[in-house]
Amino acid sequence: MKMISKISKLVLALVLVGSSVFAQSIADAKKAIDAEQYQKAKSMLKNLTVTQGTKDENFFYLGWVYILQDYPDSAKATFQKGIAVNPKSALNYAGLGAAAFVDKDKANATTNFNQAIALAGKSSTPYTYVGKAYLLNQTDGKVAAADANAAIAILNKGKAVNAKDAELLVALGDAYRSQLKNTEALDQYQAALAIDPKLASAKVATGVIWKFANNFEDSEREFKAALAIDPNYGPAYREWAETDARWALSDPKMASVKIKEGVDAYRKYLSLTDMSVESRMRYADFLAYAGDYKTLQTEANELAKAANGNLRVYRYLAIAALENKDYPAGLTAINTWISKADPKRIIARDYLVQGRLQIASGQDSLGIGALKKAYAIDTTQADVYAEIGKSLYAQKRYEQAGDAYAAYVAKSRKSTLNDYLRLGSSYYYAFDPKKPDTTLLTKADSAFSHINQKAGKPIPAVLLFRARVNESKDADRNNIKGYAKPYYEQYIAAVSATPPADERAKRELAEAYIYLGNLAMYKEKDEAKATENYTKARELDPTNKQVAAFFSRKGGASKGK
């Protein structure tokens, strides 16, 4: 009897397990996708494409998971299967458009999006996923304005079809939020919650808005509200972790506490999202954002062993190695990624990392080329020109360094007066008296003049450079014009209040007096004034060759008399 009882229990257990598998629905799969449980969703959907092989939406949602996991080729093949099942499947055409859009094939993306909308009828769901597709291509978490506006336009059309589609409203809110239109975004999230008060994703999205407003307490309140709805809703923990990281960066006093809390929250997220490679890659993104590069390098090395051919792990390895100054490992990783990944997957940041690693490894020419590629892909990366200028200056390629700094101050919003100083000094040092190109001196003087105009008070280093630039224009001692005189006089006035403390400062002040001495001697023909200036120079720099030569000539002349 005991044996029969055990067998009966086993059979019953199997029946229950079997019934739970077959009871899985598209709604269960969509819930898993929303919770970022992609492996779980994929398993459900693969089963549904077999058990309910005539339903095209099963193929669409499976393909959508592939899109979210960054496997566009697998996604495309799956969407095509959905269209084979139903040639009028609006959702699968939306999916094909998404796969093309991720691959930066905008022509095919548009064709498929249009077909999806043409077939949508009274369903707002295809509009939702076309809108979401426009938000997929992000650079450092930012969506291009044109893509976001396309998403907003199509989602509003979908809203006209069905204003009660809460998922669509959240997507519309996300599109507005990507362009910092937070009031409009909040309106959509609130409308979605009015339709479905249990919509955890809308609570989390609201928390993200407060995060970017640095209103961290309200942000956490929204994440807690989402977890009150669903304690296992992983995205709430992920966004909470990323909020803690931003909090740490914004408030140094809270940094250590919030980074620890953030790491704990992210590990909770991972535990709720099946610890898949894709979830761990999101964790890698978090570590990069939080600036925890040691942990990132460790995690990336572990991911490299388990990534099952996902090359993107090499991007993380390279970023971490660069920050940890492990340049050989970083170069190997970034070169592997750039050489083996589909060219359409390469972004500006990849070339930024490659260029910085190459320059740090002494491969300056290659590094400069890589940084220029980064700018060619993304013209908002104008800061690369400051790095290019620094590299060229170190190589004493001064004119090219000046050109790079000129591009930087023209294109970047971050340039400072110090960058104009670098610009001017680069062109000054590029001037060769043996092959005089006075346009270099003009460019240098223009940069120094800009600093004087903006600084509000005289800057001795700038006055000295302006003096030297104008002295270079006046190199013929036998036909001296005195272009540098006002600048050397201003320099003397600026530094004389405080006696020069070091030998360099003394030599620079002596330089000014020597110039004025030469001007008095050769232009003004005033020997007494020349002697006065040279005497001051000798007090500052007694071993100066020009000083010694002047007094040697003066002594010889006296003896001759």
Side-chain angles (χ1 to χ4, degrees):
M1 289 294 290
K2 285 184 179 179
M3 181 62 70
I4 293 172
S5 175
K6 287 181 179 179
I7 292 171
S8 299
K9 288 178 180 178
L10 179 59
V11 170
L12 177 61
L14 290 171
V15 168
L16 289 172
V17 170
S19 64
S20 68
V21 170
F22 289 110
Q24 287 174 353
S25 65
I26 202 70
D28 296 318
K30 286 181 67 177
K31 185 177 179 181
I33 294 171
D34 181 48
E36 298 180 12
Q37 296 171 335
Y38 299 134
Q39 294 300 106
K40 179 179 178 181
K42 195 155 59 176
S43 177
M44 289 181 183
L45 290 161
K46 283 181 177 179
N47 181 58
L48 287 169
T49 59
V50 174
T51 60
Q52 300 175 9
T54 59
K55 290 189 176 181
D56 56 287
E57 66 176 344
N58 293 331
F59 293 93
F60 167 73
Y61 286 107
L62 177 57
W64 190 253
V65 173
Y66 283 126
I67 288 284
L68 296 175
Q69 291 186 313
D70 202 25
Y71 296 114
D73 290 341
S74 298
K76 182 178 178 181
T78 306
F79 296 137
Q80 287 170 336
K81 289 178 182 177
I83 290 170
V85 168
N86 177 8
K88 295 185 177 182
S89 175
L91 275 176
N92 281 289
Y93 276 109
L96 282 178
F101 189 78
V102 166
D103 275 342
K104 300 177 183 176
D105 181 357
K106 292 200 173 184
N108 269 326
T110 301
T111 298
N112 284 295
F113 289 155
N114 289 342
Q115 182 71 351
I117 298 308
L119 295 169
K122 295 182 179 180
S123 172
S124 58
T125 307
Y127 291 88
T128 299
Y129 282 90
V130 171
K132 286 184 175 185
Y134 276 118
L135 304 178
L136 288 170
N137 284 347
Q138 299 186 15
T139 301
D140 293 332
K142 297 176 182 177
V143 178
D147 294 339
N149 289 335
I152 290 166
I154 201 68
L155 289 165
N156 272 315
K157 288 180 180 178
K159 187 176 176 181
V161 172
N162 179 7
K164 298 294 185 181
D165 185 338
E167 184 183 5
L168 182 146
L169 294 174
V170 172
L172 181 55
D174 292 345
Y176 281 125
R177 192 185 75 211
S178 75
Q179 303 306 297
L180 303 180
K181 295 179 179 179
N182 292 335
T183 300
E184 294 90 334
L186 278 171
D187 287 345
Q188 303 309 315
Y189 298 145
Q190 293 304 312
L193 285 166
I195 295 164
D196 182 0
K198 298 288 188 182
L199 197 60
S201 61
K203 285 288 185 184
V204 170
T206 304
V208 173
I209 286 181
W210 297 131
K211 173 181 77 173
F212 286 116
N214 287 350
N215 185 346
F216 303 118
E217 290 85 356
D218 280 348
S219 185
E220 287 190 349
R221 192 172 295 115
E222 295 294 337
F223 301 141
K224 289 176 181 177
L227 291 168
I229 294 169
D230 181 357
N232 295 318
Y233 191 65
Y237 283 106
R238 174 175 53 73
E239 291 294 353
W240 196 343
E242 291 173 8
T243 298
D244 281 334
R246 186 179 176 92
W247 196 339
L249 292 171
S250 302
D251 185 353
K253 293 178 182 178
M254 299 291 288
S256 59
V257 171
K258 288 299 169 184
I259 285 295
K260 182 181 183 303
E261 288 180 4
V263 170
D264 290 344
Y266 220 103
R267 292 203 174 278
K268 180 68 174 176
Y269 163 75
L270 288 173
S271 72
L272 293 170
T273 53
D274 56 35
M275 291 293 285
S276 66
V277 167
E278 288 71 29
S279 295
R280 292 175 66 188
M281 284 191 172
R282 290 291 294 266
Y283 179 46
D285 284 328
F286 165 74
L287 292 170
Y289 176 75
D292 187 353
Y293 297 108
K294 288 185 178 179
T295 305
L296 176 59
Q297 193 163 9
T298 300
E299 181 68 16
N301 277 309
E302 290 299 315
L303 268 170
K305 299 172 187 176
N308 298 325
N310 194 322
L311 287 166
R312 193 155 53 97
V313 69
Y314 290 103
R315 178 185 282 162
Y316 299 119
L317 280 170
I319 292 169
L322 172 63
E323 297 295 336
N324 294 329
K325 296 182 169 54
D326 187 359
Y327 302 130
L331 271 177
T332 298
I334 198 64
N335 289 340
T336 299
W337 165 246
I338 289 176
S339 64
K340 292 187 177 181
D342 186 326
K344 289 177 287 190
R345 315 300 288 160
I346 306 302
I347 60 174
R349 186 178 185 182
D350 297 325
Y351 286 117
L352 282 177
V353 171
Q354 185 185 46
R356 289 166 181 166
L357 284 164
Q358 287 168 331
I359 289 172
S361 302
Q363 301 173 17
D364 290 76
S365 295
L366 290 174
I368 289 168
L371 293 177
K372 287 181 176 178
K373 286 180 183 178
Y375 180 76
I377 293 172
D378 180 4
T379 55
T380 66
Q381 300 289 346
D383 295 353
V384 300
Y385 280 102
E387 298 178 58
I388 291 170
K390 181 179 179 181
S391 173
L392 290 166
Y393 191 94
Q395 299 173 63
K396 299 185 178 180
R397 295 162 65 184
Y398 295 121
E399 184 173 357
Q400 291 168 281
D403 291 343
Y405 282 121
Y408 177 61
V409 300
K411 299 173 187 293
S412 175
R413 296 179 180 178
K414 298 180 183 178
S415 62
T416 66
L417 293 182
N418 280 332
D419 297 307
Y420 279 90
L421 183 61
R422 296 181 184 102
L423 164 60
S425 59
S426 295
Y427 281 132
Y428 168 70
Y429 289 124
F431 178 76
D432 183 354
K434 295 178 182 178
K435 295 181 281 186
D437 178 357
T438 56
T439 61
L440 295 171
L441 297 176
T442 301
K443 290 176 182 177
D445 202 38
S446 176
F448 297 134
S449 175
H450 176 85
I451 298 171
N452 276 347
Q453 292 170 24
K454 297 293 183 182
K457 64 178 182 178
I459 299 175
V462 175
L463 292 171
L464 184 59
F465 264 120
R466 291 201 79 182
R468 289 170 175 173
V469 165
N470 283 279
E471 186 177 5
S472 296
K473 297 176 183 178
D474 201 13
D476 184 357
R477 190 176 68 177
N478 296 316
N479 190 28
I480 192 168
K481 303 294 185 185
Y483 298 135
K485 181 183 179 183
Y487 303 109
Y488 274 126
E489 288 177 338
Q490 290 172 47
Y491 173 71
I492 290 169
V495 301
S496 292
T498 305
D502 57 50
E503 293 305 312
R504 178 179 174 178
K506 290 178 181 179
R507 288 195 301 272
E508 289 173 345
L509 186 53
E511 173 190 330
Y513 284 120
I514 289 168
Y515 175 85
L516 294 176
N518 285 335
L519 186 68
M521 176 67 70
Y522 297 106
K523 179 176 174 61
E524 300 166 356
K525 309 300 182 183
D526 186 338
E527 187 173 344
K529 191 174 180 182
T531 301
E532 179 187 351
N533 281 295
Y534 264 104
T535 298
K536 291 177 179 178
R538 181 169 60 182
E539 291 170 358
L540 292 160
D541 188 7
T543 62
N544 184 282
K545 291 181 180 179
Q546 287 180 272
V547 170
F550 174 83
F551 284 106
S552 176
R553 288 194 305 273
K554 187 174 175 61
S558 297
K559 289 177 183 177
K561 289 179 181 178

